[in-house]
């Protein structure tokens, strides 16, 4: 059932081609077996089968979300959308990366190519593209309605600088548009590495607090999670949590670590205008696990109730269990699931 040679997102095709023609590999058909548990896990007011899924990124549209639901991923995040069309970066958008050692948080230089060997790490550089709401709203609604009992589709969204005078107004408008699709859970993306490695929105606590309040005012009755990057500094993370934990319902961590991908000739692998890209997959698992552990410790010490979704480098049932043992309420896999679409079924089988 493993199909590592044919990921459900084809990195050799453009984002637009993947959107129109995908998904690929095993996701083109339903699995031969399906493992259905009774929905028994409580997650932000929803009963789910298994607290495992795919985070914002690989599930480009309803076709991808439906395939993921069919393959046993019970928490599926529809790729981050915006209030207006936003173009994707040109190819390459996905390359394999080969760090010599554990990838650090200090923007390492890494070899990048198209040798997608396991255990896999990749750089992804898309720029958070989006179609207009008149395209993604009905498509997201269709995906939401496709989910079976015990499955949840999450709507991820992002504000766009310059659309309104204040970014929080655009985040609130995006939240309203996503809410109209009927998704039960919202996720605000604050962690895109393509919008400045040193200027990630999640590190600007004042701005994030304004954004969170604006979203909650716009959509007061729906749980809101925030997608975070890796925080190097405990002082900054704790300040962030003190301000945001009383407002929002959960945190998803992490997105990626930034690195400088280069070719074997030492040239910038993503092109002249993109010296850095976000790295995900095996090389960042340590950072995802560490963030979950720190979030859990702070939550326990402050008697807070937010949920924690652990993301980063999950490509086996053992990795899933490790994240849970560190305090995650749910776990998600992007790179691991892309190259092994049967991962959710393997985790369910291991738990049986």
């Amino acid at each position: 059932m493993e199909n590592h040679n044919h990921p459900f997102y084809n990195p050799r095709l453009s984002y637009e081609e993947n959107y129109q023609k995908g998904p690929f590999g095993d996701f083109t058909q339903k699995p031969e077996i399906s493992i259905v548990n009774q929905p028994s896990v409580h997650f932000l007011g929803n009963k789910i089968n298994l607290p495992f899924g795919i985070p914002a990124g690989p599930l480009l549209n309803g076709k991808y979300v439906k395939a993921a639901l069919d393959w046993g991923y019970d928490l599926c995040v529809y790729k981050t959308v915006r209030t207006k069309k936003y173009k994707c970066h040109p190819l390459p958008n996905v390359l394999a990366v080969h760090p010599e050692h554990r990838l650090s948080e200090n923007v390492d230089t890494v070899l990048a190519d198209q040798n997608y060997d396991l255990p896999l790490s990749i750089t992804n550089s898309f720029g958070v593209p989006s179609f207009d709401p008149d395209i993604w709203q009905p498509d997201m609604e269709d995906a939401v309605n496709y989910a079976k009992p015990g499955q949840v589709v999450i709507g991820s969204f992002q504000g766009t600088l310059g659309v309104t005078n204040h970014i929080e107004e655009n985040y609130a408008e995006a939240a309203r548009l996503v809410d109209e699709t009927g998704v039960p859970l919202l996720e605000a993306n604050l962690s895109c590495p393509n919008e400045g490695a040193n200027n990630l929105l999640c590190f600007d606590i004042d701005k994030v607090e304004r954004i969170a309040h604006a979203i909650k005012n716009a959509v007061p009755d729906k749980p809101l999670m925030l997608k975070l990057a890796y925080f190097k500094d405990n002082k900054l993370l704790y300040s962030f949590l003190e301000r945001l934990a009383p407002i929002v319902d959960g945190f998803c961590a992490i997105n990626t670590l930034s690195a400088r991908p280069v070719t074997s000739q030492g040239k910038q692998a993503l092109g002249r205008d993109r010296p850095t890209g976000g790295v995900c997959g095996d090389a960042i698992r340590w950072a995802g696990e560490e963030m979950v552990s720190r979030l859990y410790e702070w939550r326990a010490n402050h008697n807070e109730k937010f949920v924690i979704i652990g993301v980063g480098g999950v490509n086996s049932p053992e990795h899933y269990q490790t994240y849970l043992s560190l305090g995650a309420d749910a776990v998600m896999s992007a790179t691991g699931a892309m190259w092994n679409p049967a991962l959710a079924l393997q985790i369910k089988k291991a738990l049986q």
Side-chain angles (χ1 to χ4, degrees):
M1 192 151 51
E2 295 187 24
N3 199 353
H4 297 306
N5 296 321
H6 300 287
F8 67 71
Y9 181 97
N10 187 335
R12 290 177 171 81
L13 299 180
S14 70
Y15 168 79
E16 291 77 13
E17 287 175 301
N18 272 281
Y19 189 98
Q20 298 295 341
K21 299 175 183 176
F24 300 96
D26 284 345
F27 268 21
T28 60
Q29 60 202 8
K30 292 191 178 186
E32 293 172 11
I33 59 157
S34 60
I35 299 170
V36 181
N37 318 81
Q38 279 297 109
S40 58
V41 178
H42 291 269
F43 185 80
L44 293 178
N46 298 271
K47 266 192 172 182
I48 52 174
N49 301 321
L50 183 76
F52 182 68
I54 297 179
L59 303 180
L60 306 197
N61 56 35
K63 290 184 294 181
Y64 285 79
V65 174
K66 289 176 180 180
L69 293 167
D70 285 338
W71 279 82
Y73 295 89
D74 295 325
L75 288 170
C76 289
V77 186
Y78 190 108
K79 184 170 168 58
T80 306
V81 294
R82 301 177 186 255
T83 60
K84 59 182 292 187
K85 188 173 182 179
Y86 197 87
K87 280 187 70 174
C88 184
H89 290 325
L91 284 169
N93 302 119
V94 175
L95 292 169
V97 295
H98 310 280
E100 288 184 20
H101 309 287
R102 185 180 88 165
L103 192 72
S104 83
E105 66 272 32
N106 298 317
V107 196
D108 297 344
T109 298
V110 292
L111 174 66
D113 56 30
Q114 293 193 350
N115 298 320
Y116 300 99
D117 303 320
L118 301 178
L120 183 62
S121 302
I122 61 173
T123 180
N124 72 80
S125 179
F126 290 89
V128 197
S130 176
F131 287 90
D132 280 318
D134 61 354
I135 291 177
W136 63 252
Q137 270 192 306
D139 188 56
M140 187 183 289
E141 183 176 354
D142 184 46
V144 170
N145 293 332
Y146 188 82
K148 298 167 188 68
Q151 298 188 314
V152 168
V153 175
I154 299 167
S156 173
F157 59 93
Q158 174 165 331
T160 305
L161 289 168
V163 176
T164 52
N165 290 332
H166 303 287
I167 187 71
E168 60 265 30
E169 294 170 1
N170 195 244
Y171 263 95
E173 176 61 17
R176 274 193 294 269
L177 292 167
V178 171
D179 178 49
E180 288 172 3
T181 70
V183 291
L185 302 176
L186 301 176
E187 181 185 276
N189 187 350
L190 305 173
S191 58
C192 177
N194 302 301
E195 302 197 348
N198 301 313
N199 300 305
L200 295 184
L201 186 50
C202 58
F203 301 146
D204 188 334
I205 300 174
D206 290 341
K207 198 173 279 184
V208 173
E209 189 175 27
R210 292 198 302 272
I211 287 169
H213 277 303
I215 294 168
K216 278 295 190 183
N217 287 334
V219 187
D221 57 347
K222 205 158 273 189
L224 171 64
M225 298 176 289
L226 304 181
K227 181 70 175 282
L228 305 181
Y230 176 79
F231 281 66
K232 297 182 193 179
D233 179 343
N234 265 346
K235 187 178 176 187
L236 183 65
L237 177 63
Y238 296 164
S239 298
F240 180 93
L241 292 172
E242 281 165 17
R243 300 266 289 276
L244 274 302
I247 306 170
V248 305
D249 304 282
F251 300 101
C252 184
I254 60 174
N255 185 344
T256 62
L257 292 177
S258 279
R260 292 188 194 85
V262 297
T263 66
S264 55
Q265 288 82 38
K267 295 179 180 176
Q268 288 178 189
L270 295 169
R272 206 171 2 171
D273 299 332
R274 285 179 284 160
T276 63
V279 170
C280 46
D282 195 73
I284 70 162
R285 185 167 56 255
W286 72 268
E289 291 176 353
E290 188 191 290
M291 271 289 284
V292 164
S293 176
R294 289 155 72 197
L295 288 166
Y296 177 77
E297 186 180 355
W298 191 92
R299 181 176 72 178
N301 290 338
H302 292 79
N303 201 27
E304 287 284 356
K305 292 185 166 55
F306 58 80
V307 301
I308 301 166
I309 300 182
V311 189
V314 177
N315 57 50
S316 73
E318 291 74 26
H319 298 153
Y320 166 79
Q321 293 284 22
T322 298
Y323 267 100
L324 291 183
S325 71
L326 292 170
D329 300 285
V331 184
M332 292 187 179
S333 171
T335 308
M338 282 166 68
W339 265 264
N340 178 18
L343 181 57
L345 295 177
Q346 289 165 4
I347 291 171
K348 289 179 177 181
K349 190 174 180 184
L351 291 173
Q352 286 181 336

